[in-house]
Amino acid sequence: MAVTKAVIPAAGLGTRFLPATKATPKEMLPVVDKPAIQYVVEEAARAGLDDVLLVTGRNKKPLEDHFDRMVELEETLAAKGDKDKLALVQQASAIATVHYVRQGDPRGLGHAVLAAAQHVGDEPFAVLLGDDLIDARDPLLETMIAVQEREGGSVVALMEVPRESVSLYGCAAVEDATGDVVRITGLIEKPAVDEAPSNLAVIGRYVLSPTVFAVLRATPPGRGGEIQLTDALQELISMEPVHGVVFRGRRYDTGDRLDYLKAVVQLAADRDDLGPPLLEWLREWLPGRP
Ligand code: G1P
C-alpha cells in the first residue's frame, strides 16, 4: 500500500530555547527566514506526502496560522504590487493539506505518534521529527518509502555518529552494516556508550507500518518515564521486518542552541542571496576573535 501521510510531532515545550519559546512554539523559530516546521512540511511534500498531520498541544496556534491563508496580509501585499513577498506568504498554505490533532497530556514521542492512529488508519505512514532538518538536495524520505514499498514492515533512518554521541539517540543493532539499507535486529533508546550495539543513530525520519499503533498501546513508559517510539519499534522487530536506511547526506540539528546556530549559518551560507556577503563578513570577523 502506498505511503501518503506524514505525521509531525510538534507538541514539545521547547524549554531549551527559553525565553524565545515562552509564547512562540519552538517549531516557529526561523531557520534563516523560514520557520523550522516549514522545512519539514516541504520535505514531506517533496516525497509525495501531501497529507500532513501535526500533533500539537497548548500554545501552538501560530502553527495553524502559518499553514493557513493570511488574507489581510495578502491583500496588502497585492495592493502594493509586491509579488515576491505575496508568493512567500501564499506558499506556506499551499505546500500540503495540513491537519491537526492535539496530544493532550504529552507523554513522549511514542504517545505523540499514537495520537495519529485515527487519522492514519490502516496504512503505512511517515513520521518526521522537527528538530532534524534534511538538506533538500539529499533525498532520504523518498529512499525510505521505496524500501518500505519493496520490503514491507517499517523503515528507520540511521546515521553514523561518533561513538561518544550515541547516547543522545536511539541506537540500532544491524545485521550487515556494509550497505545503505540494513536489516535492524535491535533498537535501544539513548544507551550508555559502552552498551551501544553500534554507532548507528536513529535520526528523526521513520516510515512505519500501522502495526506500530497496537504495539504503542501496550508499550510501558521507558527512558525518562516517557512512552518511547524506539521501545515500540524494538518490539515490532519480532513481528515484522524493520529496515534501516543509512543516510550519508547533510542533516542539520535544530534541537539545541549551538546546533541551531550552526544550522542557520550553514543554510544561510548556501543561499545565493545571503551566502556570499555572510561568508565575506565571517572571513573578516573571525580572525579578530580570540
Ligand atoms: C528522539 C528519539 C530518538 C532519536 C532522536 C532523533 O529523541 O527518541 O530515538 O534518535 O529523536 O533526533 P529526542 O531527540 O526527541 O530526545
Side-chain angles (χ1 to χ4, degrees), residues 16 26 109 129 131-132 157 166 168-171 188-190 201-206 226 228-230 251 253 255:
R16 288 179 191 166
K26 73 165 175 177
L109 178 57
L129 305 189
D131 284 349
D132 289 305
V166 99
L168 300 170
Y169 300 94
C171 179
I188 171 167
E189 179 67 7
K190 305 202 172 89
V202 175
I203 54 171
R205 299 293 179 272
Y206 309 81
E226 297 191 334
Q228 296 290 351
L229 181 58
T230 305
R251 160 181 173 264
D253 188 350

Side-chain angles (χ1 to χ4, degrees), residues 161-184:
V161 298
R163 271 256 160 204
E164 60 277 14
S165 310
V166 99
S167 51
L168 300 170
Y169 300 94
C171 179
V174 304
E175 231 164 41
D176 169 17
T178 51
D180 285 349
V181 179
V182 293
R183 179 82 180 233
I184 297 182

Side-chain angles (χ1 to χ4, degrees), residues 202-287:
V202 175
I203 54 171
R205 299 293 179 272
Y206 309 81
V207 179
L208 300 177
S209 132
T211 314
V212 77
F213 295 126
V215 177
L216 278 167
R217 281 187 196 101
T219 300
R223 212 186 150 83
E226 297 191 334
I227 298 172
Q228 296 290 351
L229 181 58
T230 305
D231 294 348
L233 296 179
Q234 163 65 20
E235 188 61 31
L236 206 60
I237 291 170
S238 61
M239 306 161 76
E240 294 179 350
V242 177
H243 285 87
V245 168
V246 183
F247 181 61
R248 305 189 198 274
R250 286 158 282 195
R251 160 181 173 264
Y252 312 96
D253 188 350
T254 61
D256 73 34
R257 291 172 302 173
L258 183 61
D259 286 331
Y260 169 81
L261 288 172
K262 291 181 193 169
V264 172
V265 172
Q266 289 177 85
L267 285 163
D270 270 349
R271 287 246 307 237
D272 292 340
D273 53 348
L274 296 167
L278 173 67
L279 289 169
E280 190 186 331
W281 173 78
L282 276 173
R283 283 189 194 104
E284 275 168 28
W285 181 74
L286 273 174

